[in-house]
Amino acid sequence: MVVSSAPGKVYLFGEHAVVYGEPAVPCAIERRARVTVEARDDDSLRVHAEDLSLDGFTVEYSDGSDDDPDVDVSESLVDAAMGYIDAAVEQARDAANAPDAGFDITIESEIPLGAGLGSSAAVTTAGIHAATRELGVELPTEEVAERAYQAELEVQGGDASRADTFCSATGGAVRVEGDDCRAIEAPDLPFVIGFDGGAGDTGRLVAGVRALREEYDFAADTVESIGDVVRYGEQVLAEGDIEELGRLMNFNHGLLEALGVSSRSLDQMVWAARDAGALGSKLTGAGGGGCIVALDPTDSTETALDYTPGCEDAFRAELDTDGVRVEET
Ligand code: MEV
């Protein structure tokens, strides 16, 4: 048996635009998905998952089973999560040259599903890491990241960047531009997260931005403007000017809003954070619902979000400098 874990992440800047080759800066956070993998005697796959939303739920799932899972999040989200697990298992089988390997897999996650905190990348990355080690193969971190990216590409129908999976594999703050993925230095960033209890459909949101970008030149310009914000944001990050970073996050949110990927509850949380004195706030991840990230070294934003209609949970998140790792063997 091997247990591996990998962190979730927030986007300081650059989601969506990164799909079109603009740079992005995701940062790993200390909320992890743990995946336990045990080889089976046959070639089947059984998955047991718990805590995939902040409320937590348990689902027993196995290939070919007709049982309806007993869950408190939508079945389509569970199906999506299982799609990532299937793709991760295929990658592990391929890496270990063991096409018939079967596994019992248990997933425990502190990262809500589909909420913009990189749950699928964390589960996929930790799953590939644990399953390959269970088969006796130790992949370098870069290869785990590459295979997790291939798995995401497959599940998301060919539209995904390397940002989520690379960040989850390596931890820390990273910069991703096309195939160029690297770690970067970051000052202590006082992240506060607000979660509306919902989720967005990443594939649909990414497709929506693609369609808008093809229809309107100014939507294509908006995507490029996000790239400009990120390029300037990298300099500001290197200088450690947190106040200016906050202003840029506000800019970035406005541009994402223009691309149609925000929602009423995300905007409500973004404004509640700003009204409470946050240095900046924006949606994080694909949008449509889920989480916002704000910068605030004081308790004000977390307190304000606790009282904001539409905000189900608010919490502080620390940068996690550890990427995918073995927890137990
Ligand atoms: C989703 O977490 C981030 C997006 O930029 C998609 C991607 O990068 O693959 C919306």
Side-chain angles (χ1 to χ4, degrees):
M1 179 200 76
V2 177
V3 185
S4 295
S5 77
K9 57 103 208 19
V10 291
Y11 273 88
L12 191 55
F13 308 117
E15 54 273 88
H16 282 289
V18 69
V19 174
Y20 308 100
E22 300 292 346
V25 179
C27 300
I29 56 168
E30 283 185 348
R31 283 209 163 215
R32 303 182 76 88
R34 275 168 63 98
V35 180
T36 303
V37 177
E38 189 150 19
R40 292 173 61 90
D41 292 340
D42 56 27
D43 63 358
S44 69
L45 183 62
R46 287 194 64 82
V47 182
H48 176 81
E50 42 192 82
D51 297 337
L52 291 188
S53 74
L54 281 192
D55 295 338
F57 75 89
T58 302
V59 53
E60 285 282 359
Y61 164 96
S62 63
D63 276 354
S65 150
D66 291 335
D67 298 345
D68 284 338
D70 175 19
V71 294
D72 65 356
V73 294
S74 79
E75 223 174 290
S76 62
L77 270 181
V78 175
D79 286 348
M82 294 313 151
Y84 287 104
I85 284 293
D86 284 343
V89 164
E90 275 316 310
Q91 286 294 331
R93 286 173 174 150
D94 182 62
N97 202 12
D100 298 326
F103 301 103
D104 282 317
I105 296 181
T106 303
I107 306 164
E108 300 153 273
S109 176
E110 305 161 341
I111 313 164
L113 266 185
L117 298 183
S119 57
S120 55
V123 166
T124 307
T125 305
I128 292 172
H129 194 259
T132 45
R133 284 182 181 237
E134 176 69 356
L135 295 173
V137 175
E138 284 194 21
L139 300 179
T141 305
E142 293 69 30
E143 188 174 345
V144 175
E146 175 61 27
R147 287 187 174 274
Y149 166 63
Q150 295 301 332
E152 282 217 337
L153 257 190
E154 191 189 316
V155 180
Q156 285 170 212
D159 242 352
S161 75
R162 294 176 187 276
D164 289 24
T165 39
F166 183 76
C167 185
S168 194
T170 63
V174 305
R175 177 194 196 271
V176 173
E177 183 172 8
D179 295 342
D180 180 19
C181 305
R182 56 183 77 177
I184 55 172
E185 291 295 318
D188 200 12
L189 295 169
F191 289 133
V192 180
I193 292 171
F195 174 43
D196 69 5
D201 178 336
T202 301
R204 194 180 56 76
L205 289 152
V206 169
V209 172
R210 181 174 292 284
L212 210 59
R213 192 172 158 272
E214 278 161 14
E215 187 171 357
Y216 300 110
D217 286 347
F218 48 80
D221 293 345
T222 305
V223 168
E224 281 179 28
S225 295
I226 293 177
D228 292 338
V229 170
V230 182
R231 279 180 279 274
Y232 175 48
E234 286 176 69
Q235 290 171 35
V236 175
L237 195 60
E239 288 156 11
D241 183 346
I242 310 255
E243 287 188 11
E244 185 71 348
L245 277 182
R247 292 189 68 207
L248 295 178
M249 288 169 74
N250 291 341
F251 246 107
N252 196 159
H253 182 76
L255 295 167
L256 288 166
E257 226 273 312
L259 292 174
V261 296
S262 193
S263 70
R264 188 180 294 268
S265 56
L266 292 175
D267 285 344
Q268 267 166 349
M269 293 190 289
V270 158
W271 278 102
R274 291 178 191 167
D275 288 346
L279 302 172
S281 57
K282 61 182 277 296
L283 70 82
T284 177
C291 292
I292 64 135
V293 58
L295 281 189
D296 189 349
T298 76
D299 291 338
S300 304
T301 295
E302 202 178 331
T303 308
L305 286 171
D306 276 337
Y307 290 97
T308 302
C311 178
E312 188 157 294
D313 198 9
F315 49 92
R316 193 164 277 291
E318 304 289 332
L319 184 73
D320 194 340
T321 49
D322 259 11
V324 67
R325 67 180 183 219
V326 171
E327 297 286 347
E328 262 178 74
T329 47

